[in-house]
Amino acid sequence: MRKKESGKIIFLLAGMVVFMGIFWLAVRGLEKVIPDQAAESQKAFLQEPTTAPQVRGTLKLDGKKYDYTDEISTYLLLGIDMSGQPQEGTQEYQGGMADFLLLAVFNRTKETYGFLQLDRDTMTDITMMQADGSGYASARMQLCTAHWYGGSPDQSCENTVAAVSDLLGGVEIDGYYALGMEAIPMLNHAVGGVKVTIESDFSKVDPSMKLGETIVLSDEQAYTFLHDRYDVEDETNVSRMQRQRQYMKSLFQTVQARSETDPDYINTIYRQLEEVAVSDMTGKTISKIVNRVAKGENQGIQVLTGKSQTGQALGDGIDHMEFYPEKDSIREVMTALYSLVERSRQKGNTDETADR
């Protein structure tokens, strides 16, 4: 290398060393003048940018607000006692009683799903609706009575959805699917029967359903198993709810197994029951639900704990069963299903401020 070129390189290197030295001294000088700002700037530079999870919904339970950030879809399944059709010779619609209420909760973020079975006798605020669908008053009554009000089957279902939502802290319900209890034989037939173990004494209503035996229910037996209460075991709705959970678990397993080999199976059932069902859900939505059941982790069927007693809240002079759920139970169950987190209140903030 020529002497002239070598001198240029040495000069450039020396210049770079001097520049780096000046930069280092400047930084040290700034750290001495504003050490906190320098440290924070370095910390902010090194940290990965983060964003808070998006709040998907909020529930108000026992005077407190709880948020959830997972993507969740929720549906209400109803079994209605009495058809709700106009009486012969009249055009006046009258809803029936929602004897079976099951909230299905699908967590799309965690790929899990779970259920909450509600006691028909749960005491909560019910909107009493007129035939045109407008509410004229509300009263604390059994949850099942919400379906009694409304000018059409859809309005009766919507009133029940509203009552369930109010009971559970304002939870958003994305759809409903209701079947009259008289349609149970059709449902059972559509899936080819459901296998259960008889754990209640049906000897007074159907001797063929022998205690302790495991059988595939015939269509008529399925109706008895899910609907009948009087002359069965202790005649309570609690016992009937246990049988309903047993049937639903077996039904889901049956449908899930069949759907694995026949992807259109659930649509076939949907079409068979379409004329007797009342729903704002499409066959496509129900197919998605079944797919989530097939792929997701089952968290089981939960129930609320509380106190049962007789009372005359209906005002007809007759004692009826009343179920009063514990507030802690509602919060615990909803927390499990929705991964709820109590909303933290910053100093000086009110709930109204936090909502903005």
Side-chain angles (χ1 to χ4, degrees):
M1 181 180 293
R2 289 180 297 177
K3 185 176 181 181
K4 190 173 183 179
E5 292 178 347
S6 176
K8 288 182 179 180
I9 292 172
I10 293 172
F11 177 78
L12 290 172
L13 291 173
M16 290 177 64
V17 171
V18 172
F19 174 78
M20 292 174 66
I22 293 172
F23 177 77
W24 181 80
L25 289 173
V27 171
R28 293 292 295 172
L30 286 173
E31 288 178 348
K32 290 179 181 180
V33 176
I34 47 174
D36 291 339
Q37 292 184 22
E40 288 300 319
S41 297
Q42 185 180 24
K43 183 179 179 181
F45 176 78
L46 294 175
Q47 284 181 338
E48 291 291 334
T50 59
T51 57
Q54 179 183 351
V55 175
R56 304 285 180 178
T58 301
L59 304 184
K60 188 172 183 179
L61 301 169
D62 198 16
K64 297 180 181 179
K65 291 189 176 182
Y66 298 81
D67 297 329
Y68 59 90
T69 57
D70 293 343
E71 292 187 63
I72 293 178
S73 298
T74 304
Y75 305 95
L76 184 62
L77 309 179
L78 301 169
I80 310 302
D81 195 16
M82 295 172 54
S83 66
Q85 297 301 314
Q87 297 270 335
E88 186 177 351
T90 72
Q91 293 300 316
E92 183 179 354
Y93 167 81
Q94 180 63 69
M97 296 291 179
D99 274 2
F100 174 78
L101 302 103
L102 186 73
L103 195 70
V105 181
F106 296 89
N107 188 317
R108 303 197 302 276
T109 301
K110 294 184 172 66
E111 292 190 349
T112 61
Y113 64 93
F115 304 92
L116 170 59
Q117 186 183 18
L118 295 164
D119 192 317
R120 72 185 294 278
D121 299 319
T122 302
M123 301 300 290
T124 190
D125 292 332
I126 303 297
T127 299
M128 293 179 284
M129 301 171 64
Q130 302 183 86
D132 62 0
S134 61
Y136 65 89
S138 65
R140 196 164 185 79
M141 298 185 293
Q142 287 87 342
L143 179 58
C144 63
T145 63
H147 193 276
W148 183 261
Y149 297 97
S152 69
D154 286 317
Q155 288 178 1
S156 292
C157 288
E158 289 163 5
N159 198 42
T160 307
V161 166
V164 171
S165 175
D166 182 67
L167 171 69
L168 302 177
V171 63
E172 182 177 349
I173 298 175
D174 300 293
Y176 60 84
Y177 187 90
L179 280 176
M181 298 298 273
E182 71 278 0
I184 291 173
M186 293 181 63
L187 172 63
N188 192 75
H189 186 78
V191 299
V194 172
K195 182 184 291 187
V196 298
T197 298
I198 305 300
E199 299 174 349
S200 300
D201 183 4
F202 284 91
S203 59
K204 293 182 181 179
V205 293
D206 188 343
S208 69
M209 300 168 64
K210 297 179 180 180
L211 188 65
E213 287 191 352
T214 298
I215 63 173
V216 175
L217 294 172
S218 68
D219 300 339
E220 293 75 16
Q221 288 173 331
Y223 179 84
T224 300
F225 190 82
L226 294 173
H227 173 271
D228 287 10
R229 180 160 57 105
Y230 300 112
D231 289 329
V232 179
E233 203 67 25
D234 58 6
E235 299 188 344
T236 65
N237 186 55
V238 173
S239 295
R240 181 169 61 177
M241 288 175 63
Q242 292 174 345
R243 295 196 300 273
Q244 290 170 345
R245 288 196 296 275
Q246 183 185 0
Y247 185 91
M248 292 300 294
K249 289 177 182 178
S250 183
L251 173 67
F252 285 141
Q253 292 171 357
T254 300
V255 172
Q256 183 176 344
R258 183 69 178 270
S259 296
E260 291 177 357
T261 57
D262 181 4
D264 195 49
Y265 181 60
I266 189 62
N267 288 323
T268 300
I269 297 175
Y270 176 81
R271 288 190 293 268
Q272 290 180 19
L273 298 172
E274 191 170 13
E275 291 186 3
V276 295
V278 178
S279 178
D280 60 353
M281 298 159 60
T282 64
K284 185 177 181 181
T285 299
I286 294 176
S287 292
K288 288 182 179 179
I289 291 173
V290 173
N291 288 334
R292 287 174 184 145
V293 168
K295 298 177 182 178
E297 179 184 350
N298 186 0
Q299 294 182 316
I301 302 177
Q302 303 200 48
V303 294
L304 302 177
T305 58
K307 179 182 179 182
S308 294
Q309 64 185 48
T310 58
Q312 297 188 5
L314 293 181
D316 58 2
I318 302 174
D319 284 341
H320 298 280
M321 190 60 67
E322 299 174 354
F323 175 71
Y324 293 86
E326 298 171 349
K327 292 180 179 179
D328 287 347
S329 179
I330 295 177
R331 186 186 67 253
E332 290 168 2
V333 168
M334 297 305 287
T335 297
L337 290 173
Y338 285 79
S339 300
L340 295 179
V341 177
E342 184 177 349
R343 179 177 295 181
S344 59
R345 301 178 64 178
Q346 296 181 0
K347 187 176 181 180
N349 280 0
T350 63
D351 282 344
E352 289 74 22
T353 302
D355 284 343
R356 292 174 187 170

